[in-house]
Amino acid sequence: INIVINNLSSFSVLPSEVLMNTKLETSDLRWTNHPWEELSGLDEDSNSVRTFQICTPSSPASYWLRTRWIPRRAATTLYVEIRFTMMECAAMNQRHCKETFNLYYYQADADEATPTHPAWMENPYTKAAAVAADHLLRRGGAERRSNLKLLRLEGLQGAGLYLAFQSQGACMALLAVRVFFRKCPPLRRAFAAFPETVPHSLVEQARGVCVENAVTPPGELAQPPSMLCGEDGQWVGPPTSSCACRPGYEAGDGDLRCRGEPFTIRAQGAGNHTGSDRV
């Protein structure tokens, strides 16, 4: 299942691990192209970036652009963020002109692609989405608004994948591509510690351990603490935990840790000092 997510305002600040980000590249991307042109350009912050452009509004042929192999690490769901510009077809008067492009991917356990393998067609490639522009550029126009789309690739199995962009009559520029996955960060709660967790479904159950100087009671209640990690990289709801501080320790920082209780030092020696001091 491949889903286009258009609202990126809150999504972009969630915890993630980036696998590829062309905005950070300063030299040739070394992508395979037929016949996209790689150029140096400026992003919205006037930083130098590598871009790809193509303009074939008079041809119905398919023109492909493929990334390098992208290891997916522990993720089975990846997000692809694409920033691009697209020329308006109305002013070109070309019947094959389009204002969309297609995104494909090909899964592989190793970097095995060549200029001719896999074949440049759907099956062996898997189509992720047809991507349409929300903002179109006009020839001679002053407005230079770009488009930003986010797509989700689910159920990935291979050790990595290639992304491929297919243009059929578009006049466009690919400004930036970022590939990442969501993960829930390490968390302490209810005297339990939960590790960094990568969700593989709507929610992923994470097993935790009691923090230092905390234990679970004996018997049937002695289940390891657990918590749910959501697909967006955020922990869901309260944890299921029976961890409690050991005798002689008390809660510290709310329910984050167990610390030694204050203890009494008896005054030693002669004299009339019989009180005690709390430390």
Side-chain angles (χ1 to χ4, degrees), residues 94-221:
Q94 298 285 348
R95 68 187 186 95
H96 296 299
C97 183
K98 288 189 177 181
E99 296 170 350
T100 62
F101 67 91
N102 296 319
L103 177 70
Y104 289 85
Y105 63 94
Y106 177 79
Q107 300 189 71
D109 288 330
D111 187 3
E112 62 181 40
T114 69
T116 57
H117 170 78
W120 299 102
M121 58 193 303
E122 186 169 353
N123 191 15
Y125 284 93
T126 301
K127 187 174 182 178
V131 183
D134 297 320
H135 310 292
L136 297 171
L137 306 182
R138 297 180 179 179
R139 285 189 170 178
E143 188 179 27
R144 306 297 297 175
R145 289 185 68 182
S146 61
N147 300 274
L148 187 63
K149 297 288 179 136
L150 184 67
L151 296 98
R152 184 171 67 197
L153 310 181
E154 295 181 321
L156 301 176
Q157 297 179 342
L161 75 164
Y162 302 88
L163 297 179
F165 304 85
Q166 180 199 41
S167 170
Q168 294 174 300
C171 194
M172 62 173 291
L174 196 60
L175 304 180
V177 181
R178 186 168 69 104
V179 181
F180 61 94
F181 62 88
R182 293 297 179 203
K183 59 183 181 180
C184 293
L187 179 73
R188 281 187 170 222
R189 189 171 294 172
F191 306 113
F194 299 94
E196 178 180 276
T197 302
V198 178
H200 299 294
S201 57
L202 185 63
V203 288
E204 182 83 13
Q205 186 177 53
R207 293 290 186 184
V209 296
C210 294
V211 299
E212 186 178 6
N213 299 317
V215 293
T216 56
E220 295 182 2
L221 295 177

Side-chain angles (χ1 to χ4, degrees), residues 48-101:
S48 178
V49 292
R50 302 297 291 175
T51 67
F52 283 95
Q53 298 182 12
I54 192 168
C55 191
T56 58
S58 60
S59 171
S62 294
Y63 298 99
W64 291 74
L65 172 67
R66 187 182 65 218
T67 68
R68 287 178 284 169
W69 186 66
I70 305 169
R72 67 173 178 85
R73 300 181 190 169
T76 55
T77 298
L78 294 182
Y79 296 90
V80 183
E81 183 186 85
I82 306 171
R83 185 177 293 276
F84 66 98
T85 56
M86 182 80 67
M87 293 296 297
E88 185 182 55
C89 284
M92 296 189 191
N93 195 27
Q94 298 285 348
R95 68 187 186 95
H96 296 299
C97 183
K98 288 189 177 181
E99 296 170 350
T100 62
F101 67 91

